[in-house]
Amino acid sequence: MNQQLFEKVDQYISNLVAPEDEILKQTIESLDHASMPQISVTATQGKFLQLMLLTCKAKRVLELGTLGAYSTIWMARAIPADGKIITVEFDPHHAQVASENIAKAGLSDKIDLRIGKAMDVLNELIAKGEEAFDFIFIDADKPPYAEYFELALQLSHPGTMIICDNVIREGKVIDENTTDERVKGVQRFNQLLADHPKVTATIMQTVGAKEYDGMAIAVVN
Ligand SMILES: C[S@@+](CC[C@H](N)C(=O)[O-])C[C@H]1O[C@@H](n2cnc3c(N)ncnc32)[C@H](O)[C@@H]1O
């Protein structure tokens, strides 16, 4: 793999079609200042999420895994003024930084940040009869991806797009003897996706500024 080349080309694409403004740059910087991991989506992936939201005319979005709200800000900019994103983060420190970034971006009206475990918040939303989401981005802890996906389906409607990040894990996903719980989690999820009668789906490999990985993309039938 030529990671250096992937990074340079990612920068080239970002400069062309996904430039970061000051808010997005500051959001990435805020992670270093707060000693948080640099595991946000890349700018080109943020733009990709925007395009997917526009494709399904998304007004209601659910995100699992906020970190510093970098992906959340990209997505919030692609929904209409009366649109809503519920984003879920279980780490209070991450949520505090995300909340500050969302406020600086002037997006507090559109983004509802819920502090809690993704599983608990999903079950709460289902129990309360939350209106279905048009787009769901799953980017939290990997072992329960299959369970998150099944619960997300209960919050979807025909046409809802569900994107799940990090499902290739530097190719480790083809190792049948892996003992890594994150890899096992995405293996279980990828098989569920392949067999699921309720969705039409594929998996795309991704290279770029971040490690070699992939995204699963599903549309609810
Ligand atoms: C990959 S980061 C999210 C990156 C973010 N979507 C972005 O691209 O800017 C994953 C986040 O999920 C959070 N997380 C991990 N397990 C979680 C859980 N069970 N419930 C909610 N959030 C969780 C982590 O604290 C971390 O902030």
Side-chain angles (χ1 to χ4, degrees):
M1 264 193 295
N2 192 340
Q3 183 58 29
Q4 267 186 343
L5 180 62
F6 296 154
E7 278 171 32
K8 281 187 191 157
V9 174
D10 212 13
Q11 191 62 56
Y12 164 81
I13 299 170
S14 169
N15 290 344
L16 280 174
V17 296
E20 288 176 316
D21 64 1
E22 278 311 307
I23 293 290
L24 289 167
K25 285 181 190 158
Q26 284 169 19
T27 299
I28 291 299
E29 285 162 16
S30 74
L31 303 181
D32 282 340
H33 296 151
S35 303
M36 286 159 62
Q38 286 292 353
I39 52 172
S40 316
V41 296
T42 60
T44 50
Q45 291 169 347
K47 184 68 181 282
F48 172 75
L49 291 174
Q50 285 195 336
L51 287 172
M52 295 298 103
L53 293 183
L54 294 172
T55 303
C56 56
K57 297 185 172 57
K59 269 180 89 168
R60 290 179 47 76
V61 176
L62 174 64
E63 176 181 53
L64 306 181
T66 317
L67 190 68
Y70 183 78
S71 52
T72 329
I73 292 171
W74 273 102
M75 291 195 288
R77 289 174 170 178
I79 59 171
D82 60 344
K84 189 100 200 150
I85 300 189
I86 295 180
T87 184
V88 185
E89 174 57 56
F90 89 127
D91 183 318
H93 177 52
H94 294 185
Q96 177 58 37
V97 172
S99 168
E100 287 164 14
N101 289 331
I102 291 165
K104 278 187 204 154
L107 290 167
S108 302
D109 290 350
K110 275 186 182 176
I111 300 172
D112 176 357
L113 171 61
R114 306 273 175 103
I115 304 172
K117 288 190 176 166
M119 201 79 82
D120 296 343
V121 176
L122 284 164
N123 280 314
E124 265 167 40
L125 292 171
I126 293 165
K128 286 185 182 158
E130 180 78 23
E131 193 186 326
F133 294 94
D134 308 308
F135 186 92
I136 301 174
F137 182 44
I138 301 181
D139 194 20
D141 49 331
K142 313 306 163 194
Y145 256 32
E147 286 72 25
Y148 291 161
F149 187 76
E150 286 287 10
L151 292 170
L153 280 176
Q154 294 184 49
L155 293 162
S156 70
H157 57 70
T160 294
M161 186 181 287
I162 306 177
I163 294 190
C164 306
D165 200 9
N166 313 120
V167 298
I168 296 298
R169 312 208 64 84
E170 296 176 292
K172 291 178 191 139
V173 74
I174 60 172
D175 177 3
E176 288 172 8
N177 300 315
T178 185
T179 52
D180 182 330
E181 289 304 323
R182 290 165 302 180
V183 178
K184 284 193 200 171
V186 296
Q187 285 173 332
R188 212 159 49 83
F189 163 71
N190 290 343
Q191 191 61 56
L192 173 80
L193 194 70
D195 300 336
H196 214 298
K198 287 197 183 150
V199 297
T200 304
T202 192
I203 299 170
M204 306 281 290
Q205 302 187 67
T206 54
V207 293
K210 297 284 163 75
E211 67 186 19
Y212 165 46
D213 215 319
M215 283 185 178
I217 305 173
V219 175
V220 178
N221 298 328

